[in-house]
Structure formats: structure tokens, C-alpha cells
Amino acid sequence: MTKLKVAVIGAGSIAKYRHLPEYKANPQTEIVAICDINEARAKEMAAHYEIKHVFTDYKELLKEDLDIVSVCLPNYLHAPVSIAASEAGCHVLVEKPMATSSEEAEAMIAAAKQAGKLLMVGHNQRFVPSHQKAKELLASGELGKVHTFRTAFGHGGPEGWSADGKDSWFFRKEEAFIGAMGDLGVHKADLIRHILGEEVVEVGAMVEQTAKENSDVDDNAICILKTESGIIGTLTASWSYKGQEDNSTIIYAEKGSIRLEDDPEYSVIINYLDGTKDKQALGKIQTNEDGGQNNSGVIDHFVTSILNGTEPLITGEEGKKSLEVILGALKSSESKQIIRLR
């Protein structure tokens, strides 16, 4: 069987710990090219993964014979590079947040459709077993109507993860566009939409920059979300959680509650009204603390979608809806108003 030819654009931490090892582990793909403006970094990854072609200009890379391009770049480059890759006839997997505006996201979606290729956004939290279990449980109606939720993603900041440490693009507004809300908040906006099976229609938020020096993007945000059926809940994103990450989601429903990634041993804990508990250890969530070494499921799903000719779980349209939640949060914080999304 001919393997799908893959190129990864960007050789920083997300490529190093997620995209490159997962493509390497997939028997149906071959990484044939890598690109980074930091040539030494690109060459280091090329040597480690036995990649033949190294580029410092993504436009030159896109002249190669490719099937898949992973876009692992600073946020402001997601749209232009993804569009160029689609126009070059490639299926595109782009990191989150997919773009810096709704208009950019629309252009990305249009470019992929025009090319007849897939566009997927790397929202890996949808593939976490505990999150899949929660979606299944709520869809079954076993816990009845959902009343409220709280979801959070907080850690000490990207300086411990990014290849450039404290000098990372994550802290520069012209490259990142948005801070903790784009890095972490968009994950949870996407997750809560997915688990509840509903769109967020209103958002109110306080988005602040209080914890990081030499940064001009947000590092703490607390949002109130309202879904189309009237479920309200909170979303927190923070780069100021010292010592231990928080990646938990708790859903409170008519007949009990579900605690996800809130216990070190049990990734799902269901508390029923009669006082009984169902504890399930479904495997660890992928976090920055573990170096991203466990398979996220993102690349395998994308490859399978391409081979089967089916839409991926997180299409461009899905990515855009999650992006619009955090764009709404920014607008709410600036205007001191509740923002209506749809």
C-alpha cells in the first residue's frame, strides 16, 4: 500500500511531541518534509524522524508531492499557511485556535472546499476516553436534563512547554493574537460544545493579563456560557496555575453529576442521586506535564478520514464555532457586555 506523504510546517513543541511521533507511528503515513524558519530546529527533527527534505520557506515545501500538511505554527500564520496548503492540493490539519478571526476561518474552509480536500482542526480533547464517555452518557438521557457545568484548563504557562521558553511567540500579541484563551480556553469551548451537543449562544467574560511579565496577551480568563437550550456554566482558562494542571470538567444534571479528569485515578466519576458512585479509570488525559507522549488520536483519526473519504470529527466549520466562543469572550471583556453569538 502506498503511504500518504506528510509534511509538517513548524518544528516547535506541538510538532515534536504530538504531530511528528503520531505520524511516525501511523503505518499509513510517511513524513517526507519538514519546515521551520529555525533551520537548526528543522534539521534536528529531520534527523530524529528520518525526514529527507528540510525547508525554511513553506512556499518551497508546498511545491513537493504531498498528501497531508500539518500546520504547527504561531496562531497568526494558521490561516495563510493552511489556505496555501489547500490550494497546493493537500489535506490540512491545523492546530488550534484555527485562525485569528471568523473571516480567516471562513477563508480556510472555502479554500479546502474549493480544492476538494479535508480541513481538520486539532482539538484533541474530543478524543479523550473520559470525554467520549460523557458525551455518550448524556446523549443516552441516563442523567436527564443538564442544568449547569464548569470546565477549566489551567497550568503554569507555555514557557514550560514551548521550544522558545520565556521568549515564546505565545506571549507576543502580533503572533499569538490571544493568550490563555486561545491556548487553553478554545479547547474547553470546543469540548463543552461537543459533550453537550449544543451550540453556545451567549458569552460573558473577564479576560485579563495579570500573571506574566514581558507579555501582552491574556493569561487569566473566566467566562460564563449559555447554550441554545438554556444550559449555563463557566469556563476558566489560566496560565497562572502553579504546581499542578487542572484540566477538569464537571457536569451537573437532573439525575446526578459527571466529574471528568478531576481525580488522579478515575478519569470519570458519576455521582447518582441515590448516593451511589460509578468510578471509571479510562486512561490519562494528554497533558503538557507528560510531554505529550501518549497518542492523542488526532492524527490517526485524520488519516482514517482521508482514506475513507469521510468528514473528520472537527471540521473547519466546527473549529470556527469554537473559535467564535473565545472571540465572543474577548468582545465581552472589552465591552463589559454579554455577547450574543447566534
Side-chain angles (χ1 to χ4, degrees):
M1 185 193 75
T2 304
K3 294 186 176 185
L4 296 171
K5 297 181 179 69
V6 177
V8 176
I9 303 178
S13 291
I14 198 68
K16 179 179 180 180
Y17 293 118
R18 309 263 166 97
H19 291 249
L20 290 167
E22 290 184 28
Y23 280 123
K24 184 72 172 178
N26 190 301
Q28 294 161 318
T29 59
E30 178 188 6
I31 311 168
V32 299
I34 189 165
C35 178
D36 199 288
I37 57 171
N38 184 327
E39 189 174 15
R41 187 173 292 160
K43 285 183 173 179
E44 179 188 351
M45 292 297 101
H48 186 77
Y49 289 100
E50 300 177 326
I51 304 169
K52 293 178 181 177
H53 303 292
V54 177
F55 296 87
T56 55
D57 183 344
Y58 76 88
K59 294 178 182 177
E60 292 300 313
L61 174 143
L62 291 175
K63 294 176 182 178
E64 294 290 305
D65 178 22
L66 301 167
D67 297 301
I68 299 173
V69 169
S70 262
V71 179
C72 303
L73 295 167
N75 299 337
Y76 80 109
L77 292 171
H78 287 180
V81 177
S82 294
I83 290 167
S86 291
E87 291 173 344
C90 302
H91 299 286
V92 176
L93 173 61
V94 62
E95 269 302 322
K96 52 74 209 167
M98 68 179 290
T100 65
S101 68
S102 294
E103 292 75 18
E104 281 189 347
E106 285 285 1
M108 294 163 72
I109 293 164
K113 285 185 176 176
Q114 180 69 30
K117 300 295 179 180
L118 298 185
L119 170 65
M120 177 172 160
V121 186
H123 283 295
N124 61 303
Q125 296 226 351
R126 291 198 186 196
F127 297 97
V128 174
S130 62
H131 297 158
Q132 293 176 327
K133 178 67 177 178
K135 181 174 177 60
E136 176 188 312
L137 187 67
L138 292 177
S140 75
E142 183 180 324
L143 289 180
K145 181 181 177 182
V146 174
H147 295 307
T148 186
F149 63 85
R150 59 182 174 92
T151 188
F153 199 170
H155 58 50
E159 59 267 47
W161 158 260
S162 174
D164 293 313
K166 291 182 179 179
D167 298 322
S168 175
W169 61 266
F170 277 97
F171 300 111
R172 296 191 290 272
K173 190 169 187 176
E174 68 274 13
E175 294 178 62
F177 153 69
I178 190 171
M181 274 298 285
D183 182 31
L184 308 178
V186 73
H187 268 308
K188 293 304 187 178
D190 186 75
L191 177 66
I192 210 68
R193 291 182 51 246
H194 180 62
I195 289 179
L196 297 180
E198 294 191 21
E199 295 305 331
V200 174
V201 296
E202 291 182 55
V203 57
M206 291 186 180
V207 183
E208 303 293 337
Q209 195 274 310
T210 59
K212 301 294 180 186
E213 297 177 1
N214 303 316
S215 169
D216 56 3
V217 293
D218 59 279
D219 48 44
N220 274 295
I222 297 179
C223 313
I224 299 173
L225 309 181
K226 182 179 179 180
T227 72
E228 54 195 313
S229 75
I231 303 167
I232 57 171
T234 61
L235 181 157
T236 301
S238 178
W239 282 346
S240 66
Y241 286 18
K242 303 296 185 181
Q244 186 176 351
E245 284 193 13
D246 181 8
N247 209 333
S248 64
T249 298
I250 305 172
I251 297 175
Y252 300 93
E254 184 181 2
K255 300 175 184 178
S257 65
I258 317 170
R259 305 184 79 90
L260 307 169
E261 306 300 331
D262 190 43
D263 182 274
E265 188 173 353
Y266 298 101
S267 56
V268 177
I269 300 177
I270 307 164
N271 296 291
Y272 293 99
L273 281 185
D274 62 5
T276 60
K277 290 189 177 188
D278 179 6
K279 297 182 177 182
Q280 301 180 28
L282 301 181
K284 287 178 64 180
I285 193 171
Q286 188 181 55
T287 71
N288 290 351
E289 289 179 345
D290 64 26
Q293 296 304 312
N294 52 322
N295 193 310
S296 71
V298 170
I299 273 74
D300 289 348
H301 175 78
F302 189 50
V303 170
T304 299
S305 299
I306 292 168
L307 294 174
N308 291 345
T310 55
E311 277 200 338
L313 184 60
I314 312 104
T315 59
E317 289 85 351
E318 280 292 289
K320 178 175 177 283
K321 288 174 183 175
S322 296
L323 170 68
E324 287 173 340
V325 176
I326 65 168
L327 293 175
L330 284 182
K331 192 181 294 185
S332 172
S333 186
E334 290 165 0
S335 67
K336 310 300 182 188
Q337 301 289 324
I338 301 292
I339 301 300
R340 181 84 186 179
L341 299 180
R342 47 181 53 82

